[in-house]
Amino acid sequence: MPIRPSPRAVALYFKKLGPRTQVALCQLPLSLIVTVLGVMTPFTWPSLLVSPLYMAAIALHLILFVACFLTPWERLPHSSYLVIPVLDLLAIALLRNGAAPLLPGLAILVVFPVIWLAASGIMVRTSLVLSALGPLLIILPTTAGKFPNLTASDITALFLFPLVMLAVSLAIRFASVNMRVQQRQLQAMGEELRELLAASREREELLMTILDATDVGIVAVDSNGDQLLANNMMRRWQQPAAPAGVAPADHGEQRVFAQDKVTPLPSDKHPLRRAVEGESFADYLVWIGDVPQQRAVSTAARPLTDDDGRLTGAVVVYSDVTGLVEAIAANEELVSNVSHEFRSPLNSILGNIDLVLEDSDGLSALTVQRLAVVQRNSERLLALVSDLTLEASAALNVHPKRTDISGLVETSIGSAQAHAERSAVALVADVPSPLWAFADPLRIGQALDNLVSNAIKYSPDGGTVTISAAGTEDWVKLVVQDTGMGMAPEDAAKVFSRFFRAESARDAAIPGAGLGLSITKTILERHGGAIACASALGGGSTFTMTLPTESKPGD
């Protein structure tokens, strides 16, 4: 199917032509018709060859067409070319009156100069006057020649034809004005669009400059996973992450590994695939690329939606944490090695003290007392070493299964009963049985023992420790509440930080390393749960553990 040029394209092409060509093209339709008449005259109307008016009109049309090319319009005033349609009126008058009565219909040719004058948009009043007066003067001579034998048809033609040409001129004038208004509006809109496009490009360049200045990789994808935008850092990571022969931007083929740096992640676990599926996440650690260029990357994703809430894509941020991960691993290895080296001599010390104390009949009371102090502090040091080892371990694994929480609470109370009696603390349980949760009984028992032991330890003046629980369809909440010394709210907000100890505990000289609650929080988070603390000085503390009732996706 042929392509039709648009009116705007034709107008732009016409403007590119020189003034002489433009004027000649406007004159061309009338000149072609007159040329055809001149060629046909010897064969069809030979009598017109002796008509001086007719022949003069033919010659004048020829002269006007040639003048369109020869006249330097570019050097003359802008409206000077209108002399051509004005002289066309004269030439048509000579042509029509010279050919009458053989060709009275030639007066219709006046429509060409009338259109030209009206479409020019200049000399408005003069053009309107000529549009009516020109046709009147063309018809008037032949009509006057019939006087006084004028018919109603002659009189009607004398006035109606000029009025029709005036109407044509007005219609073209209105259409031209409307077209010019629309053209100005389009030009204004075009200018506004160009300004908006320039501003958009500036904002895009600014955005890319800002993104390229960051030390994290940022990539935006559409709902199909196709890349829309990536900063320089992201492009540098894409190269080593892509296998040989695969485009770096093909995220589905990238080499992405689990935290063990060896196991390839399934495609549905890749950060970008999760993001395209509509997930929003943070601190999702993966390893990208192969050794020796393999990097540890912490990823975060946020979905992109339209006004109707439909997913249109996602933005994923990649942060290089290789140095941090390696430093943590080195720290864990150091603590693990040191703890192991501490554990052996401590076990030896405790074993020998136990043997001495078992056969203490020959020892003085002071010696036994001092050995008991050594034994107590050695046990405390061994417990601290165990906590350090557990806290430093990157493999604090949990193996959740369907577990009755009420049984764990009963076991924990039984283990803490002797400690509670020595501290004059009453233990109260309010837990329905059975109460099922999806939990590792060993790890949750460890967390519960930590909380109950702390509750007793931080109730030096006695009191009550209450363990309660309640369940919903999705979650189980396990609460350990004491009436002990409590802590300030600002300390309660930091209580799960490693090695943190509340000021009230330090003032009371209560022993501890500040690791138990940090370990407890890690255990809960590995279950997909959470732990919270609420406390007030002198008002006791309340710890709330939240556990899922069933396995969550990704567990």
Side-chain angles (χ1 to χ4, degrees), residues 154-467:
D154 294 332
I155 297 174
T156 301
L158 179 64
F159 294 103
L160 183 59
F161 186 64
L163 289 175
V164 170
M165 290 298 103
L166 178 61
V168 170
S169 179
L170 287 171
I172 294 174
R173 177 70 61 181
F174 293 147
S176 298
V177 169
N178 183 55
M179 184 176 66
R180 290 189 182 93
V181 170
Q182 291 182 352
Q183 187 175 16
R184 283 194 292 269
Q185 291 176 343
L186 289 175
Q187 289 175 347
M189 291 175 61
E191 184 64 28
E192 184 178 357
L193 287 175
R194 282 190 291 272
E195 292 176 358
L196 290 174
L197 180 60
S200 176
R201 287 175 178 170
E202 290 179 1
R203 287 193 293 269
E204 182 180 359
E205 292 175 358
L206 176 61
L207 174 62
M208 289 307 302
T209 301
I210 294 173
L211 293 180
D212 290 338
T214 61
D215 59 354
V216 297
I218 301 174
V219 60
V221 294
D222 61 18
S223 58
N224 296 321
D226 297 326
Q227 182 172 299
L228 301 176
L229 177 147
N231 66 348
N232 283 338
M233 181 64 73
M234 189 65 207
R235 286 190 288 271
R236 285 199 294 269
W237 282 351
Q238 286 173 346
Q239 191 65 44
V246 176
D250 189 353
H251 301 282
E253 298 296 330
Q254 286 187 350
R255 303 279 289 164
V256 182
F257 299 90
Q259 295 187 28
D260 62 2
K261 305 169 60 173
V262 177
T263 305
L265 277 181
S267 60
D268 60 338
K269 297 295 184 182
H270 285 201
L272 273 171
R273 176 62 66 84
R274 291 181 59 187
V276 170
E277 295 297 328
E279 287 191 56
S280 178
F281 55 85
D283 298 327
Y284 180 47
L285 183 66
V286 296
W287 287 82
I288 292 181
D290 295 309
V291 177
Q293 296 179 319
Q294 195 173 51
R295 309 296 293 174
V297 178
S298 176
T299 62
R302 293 294 182 270
L304 300 175
T305 56
D306 58 17
D307 293 338
D308 296 328
R310 291 190 297 267
L311 184 70
T312 59
V315 175
V316 184
V317 178
Y318 291 70
S319 301
D320 189 348
V321 293
T322 307
L324 176 61
V325 170
E326 291 176 347
I328 292 174
N331 177 69
E332 291 172 350
E333 183 178 2
L334 174 64
V335 173
S336 178
N337 291 336
V338 171
S339 299
H340 176 73
E341 295 299 324
F342 279 171
R343 189 185 300 274
S344 296
L346 283 172
N347 284 329
S348 177
I349 292 170
L350 285 170
N352 282 281
I353 290 176
D354 287 341
L355 290 175
V356 172
L357 290 177
E358 286 177 4
D359 189 17
S360 60
D361 295 340
L363 300 176
S364 65
L366 181 59
T367 300
V368 172
Q369 181 181 358
R370 288 175 177 175
L371 287 173
V373 171
V374 174
Q375 183 185 45
R376 184 168 61 254
N377 283 281
S378 296
E379 289 174 345
R380 178 184 171 192
L381 186 56
L382 184 61
L384 176 59
V385 169
S386 298
D387 283 348
L388 283 171
T389 303
L390 187 60
E391 176 65 20
S393 175
L396 201 162
N397 297 318
V398 297
H399 303 285
K401 60 183 180 180
R402 193 165 184 260
T403 301
D404 182 11
I405 299 299
S406 63
L408 296 182
V409 173
E410 183 179 349
T411 302
S412 181
I413 290 177
S415 301
Q417 191 65 51
H419 184 193
E421 289 175 356
R422 288 196 302 269
S423 302
V425 172
L427 296 178
V428 178
D430 181 17
V431 180
S433 180
L435 180 60
W436 300 102
F438 190 73
D440 183 333
L442 176 63
R443 294 302 187 187
I444 295 303
Q446 179 184 353
L448 189 58
D449 287 344
N450 259 338
L451 294 181
V452 173
S453 175
N454 277 355
I456 296 171
K457 183 167 61 173
Y458 291 104
S459 301
D461 299 325
T464 302
V465 173
T466 304
I467 307 166

Side-chain angles (χ1 to χ4, degrees), residues 47-84:
S47 60
L48 295 179
L49 295 176
V50 297
S51 171
L53 293 179
Y54 184 82
M55 297 307 296
I58 297 293
L60 181 57
H61 276 294
L62 178 61
I63 293 170
L64 290 175
F65 188 68
V66 174
C68 291
F69 289 101
L70 299 181
T71 305
W73 304 109
E74 62 276 5
R75 301 178 185 176
L76 301 177
H78 179 62
S79 60
S80 59
Y81 69 88
L82 291 183
V83 69
I84 299 296

